[in-house]
Amino acid sequence: MKRLSRFVWPLIIFALGACTETVTRADNPRILLMGDSMMALHGMAGKSVSHAMERRLGEPVIDRSVSGARFLYALPISGAAGMNITKQYRSGDWDWIVMNGGGNDILFGCGCGFCDRRIDRLISEDGTTGVIPGFVSKMRRTGANVVMVGYLHTPGFRSPIEGCVDEGHEMDARMARLAALDRGVHFIPMSDVVPTGDRTYHAVDLIHPSPKGSDAIGGRIAELIRQSRPRRQ
């Protein structure tokens, strides 16, 4: 097993790294995107959330998101490679830092049942403490605007995450309270994107967004950025 791990771990880290974009000064990008599979999905096909943003804004979006990523993630090597959302950040002259996350922490951390303590670790009821507010505060100290993005909700059919709806609403409410505390922090809910009975915004698993869903998510984020006055001219 030890001999196997010497070869397997580099492959795992390479696979994680291949899912993210590097940051170079030559690109001079001003938008950084971080998060989990909701952001990362369809990247290889050019139909991810960041691609939808780029098409609408006409400028590059650096996508550091990784499928399966969490905020509460303790393993050091894979965490540094992006499985820990807070480790996805790379320094730059960002005007906008866009992120999502927390769904994997709830789904895999407490199975969407008896999740009060885990949600409190992510973000307190008043939105002032927890891993997410702490990370948002750190990102704000860079001078960037921060956008927190909620998750798509199910289209009214039974899905593997149907039991997570209440937790999703609670997370949305708490992140909205956090955003209300700082003009430079924004929360974009996605709970009303999917019409009831419409499966086309989801992949076949009814968890992840389809290309259409990713486009809708990216469109909402781009609209917020377009309507807001940028720091850098």
Side-chain angles (χ1 to χ4, degrees):
M1 291 295 291
K2 290 182 179 180
R3 185 185 296 268
L4 178 63
S5 66
R6 290 176 58 190
F7 295 97
V8 171
W9 269 110
L11 291 174
I12 292 174
I13 300 306
F14 174 80
L16 288 171
C19 296
T20 63
E21 293 184 78
T22 58
V23 180
T24 65
R25 292 188 179 184
D27 294 331
N28 197 32
R30 71 185 189 106
I31 305 172
L32 174 68
L33 183 101
M34 300 181 291
D36 57 28
S37 56
M38 189 183 85
M39 299 298 195
L41 208 64
H42 311 302
M44 295 296 290
K47 296 181 178 180
S48 68
V49 170
S50 64
H51 289 105
M53 293 170 62
E54 288 178 337
R55 286 193 297 272
R56 287 169 171 81
L57 295 171
E59 61 180 293
V61 175
I62 299 300
D63 187 351
R64 299 283 303 169
S65 62
V66 175
S67 292
R70 311 182 193 184
F71 278 109
L72 303 172
Y73 191 90
L75 296 178
I77 299 177
S78 52
M83 289 299 289
N84 185 321
I85 293 173
T86 67
K87 304 300 183 182
Q88 294 174 8
Y89 176 76
R90 293 294 182 272
S91 61
D93 191 12
W94 309 113
D95 286 344
W96 295 91
I97 297 174
V98 182
M99 71 181 79
N100 86 309
N104 291 323
D105 297 281
I106 294 172
L107 180 61
F108 300 114
C110 55
C112 295
F114 303 103
C115 290
D116 289 353
R117 292 182 62 183
R118 180 159 289 265
I119 292 176
D120 286 342
R121 287 183 64 192
L122 290 168
I123 181 169
S124 62
E125 188 172 3
D126 63 2
T128 61
T129 61
V131 174
I132 294 175
F135 186 57
V136 168
S137 178
K138 181 179 178 180
M139 296 299 95
R140 283 288 290 136
R141 288 197 293 272
T142 70
N145 291 278
V146 175
V147 181
M148 299 179 295
V149 183
Y151 286 94
L152 292 179
H153 284 210
T154 59
F157 299 97
R158 289 297 300 177
S159 81
I161 58 169
E162 198 69 28
C164 303
V165 171
D166 290 343
E167 287 77 9
H169 283 305
E170 182 62 26
M171 286 288 293
D172 282 359
R174 295 185 182 200
M175 287 192 288
R177 292 179 195 124
L178 169 59
L181 300 173
D182 184 342
R183 292 178 57 187
V185 178
H186 312 265
F187 172 63
I188 304 179
M190 296 292 166
S191 56
D192 61 339
V193 169
V194 182
T196 301
D198 190 339
R199 294 174 180 261
T200 62
Y201 287 83
H202 285 84
V204 293
D205 61 8
L206 292 181
I207 299 175
H208 297 97
S210 65
K212 179 179 178 179
S214 295
D215 185 70
I217 294 167
R220 283 202 172 184
I221 301 169
E223 186 62 24
L224 170 67
I225 293 175
R226 185 186 295 115
Q227 291 182 358
S228 302
R229 185 175 181 179
R231 283 193 307 113
R232 189 173 72 223
Q233 299 296 332

